[in-house]
């Protein structure tokens, strides 16, 4: 049995996800389908782009990751299949794979264009059903992606302009809140490496994290690392710096939102 | 492996859906269960009725579609099993299959009444668990529906009074918004056939769609068929006329709701 | 194939549940995973505790129930595996199994501490991924829980102080609304046994249920047991007394909330 994951912005109130699963099982009855989430904000390519490298490493080789966050459905945007570290990614060519591509080396990359793998007639409104589902199912059944399209170069892909943390003139690291999870943890775009870079350049100093009107000192090892109701900083499960409040919501406590700034400095 | 789909109004905050799956797997451990949605508005039979023909065609022969939108649970309303185009439908006899029945010919139809297929004791509050789940699982395991109940005639079934689009005295086609999806697309009860009827009767004319205070001309081929923020009309993935706004929500832009009117006319 | 159920407070907007499934399938590719719900209110151990005995009985022997409602993740709280009536429960030692433990006899109970069954390195923020998922998958694959930890006694476990219904001086039974389901049914902590106790002690009397400003007489057999819009009392599918309104929401009609009181008396 091979696994297919689904990441979409379809929500779960309509029949769209169920229809995709029906099509997948029609092509590959032994496929095992895992929902990652269908609650990507409608057409929010960036949100999906950040999520992909967070779940892929936990799936086996051979897994097919279908991503349908696709505001350009029905236009001439391409659909691409990527083979990377033994897994497959099927997504619109709209930049949604930008961060995944940064995380390793592509083994194979095609623009999907062989209509014999599609569900005919192909609509111009629901490629999830008509292209992504059947093509993903064929990949999971062992069809070589090279047989389903035309090889392209990684340089030809649409890439998002991913805002990375940057150092300002005073040597402070400026990052951004990129996501807030269900617990109200504020997930930034700052990685452990970035933090270490500060600490290595200025040993014997203490890390200060400024976020909104709050100031946190040092990185905690766990959510219990601060007094109740006080914010703490922690390297979260995605590998990014998060601001959290033990047994409470940092989002509610600090009144911060996606896009808000976080500043890292060091003090002796 | 045979597939069972679930369509309910149970939501996903309670344990109800999980319990049904436990019962299904107890009867047929090799059943593969696909959630269509559990977010039908509580007890909204009409909403479910419209959805059923939208997903069934994408599942294989032998699939068992369980539908539990059942305000009459515990009363003497019947539970029926329908065989149609090689698939099975298990639902309360409350009209929820009305549109599905219109879409083809019933091959077999029974009122489920053989209690040996039920989970005993049968409660009067949760037939999803006590009747639908075990009976559906037995059907998916190959039990003939004729052995699980009494044959009835299709004319005996409860039918919904489905509001179809109608032509008024001026020859304008009056339809209704029957559903709004997650993207804010306004899905009407007007089908492509209805549209073609207008165009055929008055060739050399242009189709005008009036909805709320807006007016759209012609049917677009894709969501890119109109200027940004302007509404467009499109035949959506369910085969119904939809009003959409490219990369935006038509619901938010046009301030319209389920039940609002749409009018189709033609102008030279 | 063996079944693993998941009960968490992770929600479904983030990748957390999908990641757990990836890890499970990596360890036991033939595991069948059933979501109970991921919408437990964040860190609400009591809510989860009430739910567990409601779904477990409907799953087969050998099922592994993973419960991750775990505000103490990263602290020194234990993770325990319990074998009971042929099923397995994997949960943090925070009282979430309190009601399940009351419902029967533990056959085996261990504190999980064998790190060779964990996903290394174990984070201090996401034990669902690093411990619960792989350990649960190993249990479902047949590994003896005794090999995964150290036997402990049931008396060593953290227990919640579960508020049970109590009789006041006037012999009235005082209970509480512990949960409200999607239909607006108000689920109390009063069981059929409690009701029978009142009726047995005072035969020839009628049961009166007072809740908010409303008063209901007797227990209905089904949701149709009262006039439209009038509240009724019923023994719900979980075995608890519920207050419902036929084809409507008791929560909306009666303006009541979780924690509100319900009083049972008998009158001649």
């Amino acid at each position: 049995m091979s696994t297919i994951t689904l990441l979409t912005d379809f929500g779960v109130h309509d029949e769209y996800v169920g229809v995709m699963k029906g099509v997948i099982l029609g092509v590959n009855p032994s496929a095992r389908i895992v929902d990652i989430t269908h609650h990507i904000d409608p057409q929010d390519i960036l949100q999906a782009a950040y999520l992909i490298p967070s779940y892929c490493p936990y799936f086996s080789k051979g897994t097919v990751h279908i991503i349908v966050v696709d505001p350009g459905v029905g236009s001439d945007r391409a659909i691409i299949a990527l083979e990377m570290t033994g897994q497959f990614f099927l997504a619109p060519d709209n930049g949604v794979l930008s961060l995944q591509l940064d995380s390793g080396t592509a083994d194979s990359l095609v623009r999907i264009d062989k209509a014999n793998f599609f569900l005919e007639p192909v609509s111009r409104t629901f490629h999830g059903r008509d292209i992504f589902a059947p093509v993903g199912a064929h990949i999971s059944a062992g069809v070589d992606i090279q047989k389903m399209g035309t090889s392209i170069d990684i340089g030809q892909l649409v890439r998002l302009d991913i805002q990375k943390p940057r150092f300002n003139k005073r040597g402070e690291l400026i990052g951004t809140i990129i996501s807030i999870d269900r617990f109200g943890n504020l997930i930034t775009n700052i990685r452990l490496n970035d933090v270490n870079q500060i600490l290595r350049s200025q040993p014997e100093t203490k890390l200060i994290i400024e976020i909104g009107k709050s100031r946190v000192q040092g990185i905690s090892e766990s959510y219990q690392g601060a007094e109740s109701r006080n914010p703490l900083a922690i390297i979260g499960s995605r590998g990014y710096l998060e601001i959290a409040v033990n047994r409470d919501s940092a989002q509610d406590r600090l009144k911060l939102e996606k896009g808000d700034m976080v500043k890292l400095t060091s003090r002796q």
Side-chain angles (χ1 to χ4, degrees), chain A residues 114-134:
Chain A
K114 297 289 185 292
N116 52 317
F117 294 101
F118 301 170
L119 190 69
E120 297 284 0
V122 173
S123 72
R124 291 185 64 175
T125 57
F126 194 6
H127 286 184
R129 173 189 70 194
D130 303 331
I131 303 182
F132 290 96

Side-chain angles (χ1 to χ4, degrees), chain A residues 38-57:
Chain A
H38 301 291
H39 297 273
I40 296 292
D41 291 335
Q43 315 191 329
D44 191 336
I45 298 168
L46 183 63
Q47 190 187 357
Y50 270 111
L51 216 55
I52 295 167
S54 300
Y55 62 83
C56 293

Side-chain angles (χ1 to χ4, degrees), chain A residues 65-127:
Chain A
H65 302 290
I66 298 180
I67 298 117
V68 194
V69 180
D70 190 15
V73 60
S75 72
D76 60 358
R77 67 91 188 85
I79 292 175
I80 55 172
L82 164 71
E83 185 177 352
M84 198 168 163
T85 62
Q87 299 187 338
F88 301 91
F89 300 82
L90 185 64
D93 180 21
N94 60 15
V96 75
L97 293 179
S98 296
L99 278 153
Q100 181 60 29
L101 286 163
D102 286 349
S103 76
T105 308
D107 296 315
S108 184
L109 180 64
V110 301
R111 180 184 168 124
I112 297 293
D113 54 19
K114 297 289 185 292
N116 52 317
F117 294 101
F118 301 170
L119 190 69
E120 297 284 0
V122 173
S123 72
R124 291 185 64 175
T125 57
F126 194 6
H127 286 184

Side-chain angles (χ1 to χ4, degrees), chain A residues 116-189:
Chain A
N116 52 317
F117 294 101
F118 301 170
L119 190 69
E120 297 284 0
V122 173
S123 72
R124 291 185 64 175
T125 57
F126 194 6
H127 286 184
R129 173 189 70 194
D130 303 331
I131 303 182
F132 290 96
V135 168
H138 281 295
I139 298 173
S140 78
V143 176
D144 187 341
I145 61 172
Q146 294 288 344
K147 291 188 178 158
M148 307 171 95
T150 309
S151 258
I152 54 172
D153 191 80
I154 200 173
Q156 296 173 259
L157 295 179
V158 173
R159 296 296 274 265
L160 296 179
D161 182 24
I162 303 282
Q163 204 186 348
K164 300 225 165 125
R166 59 184 175 75
F167 284 93
N168 65 14
K169 290 175 184 172
R170 282 172 300 208
E172 299 164 334
L173 184 65
I174 309 297
T176 308
I177 298 173
I178 53 171
S179 177
I180 300 175
D181 75 9
R182 192 193 187 214
F183 300 94
N185 297 324
L186 309 169
I187 302 166
T188 74
N189 62 347

Side-chain angles (χ1 to χ4, degrees), chain A residues 236-257:
Chain A
S237 61
R238 296 179 188 170
Y240 289 99
L241 183 78
E242 297 181 13
I243 309 300
V245 173
N246 188 19
R247 300 191 185 222
D248 205 336
S249 162
Q251 178 181 30
D252 292 351
R253 285 271 151 217
L254 308 183
K255 312 281 183 213
L256 293 171
E257 293 179 8

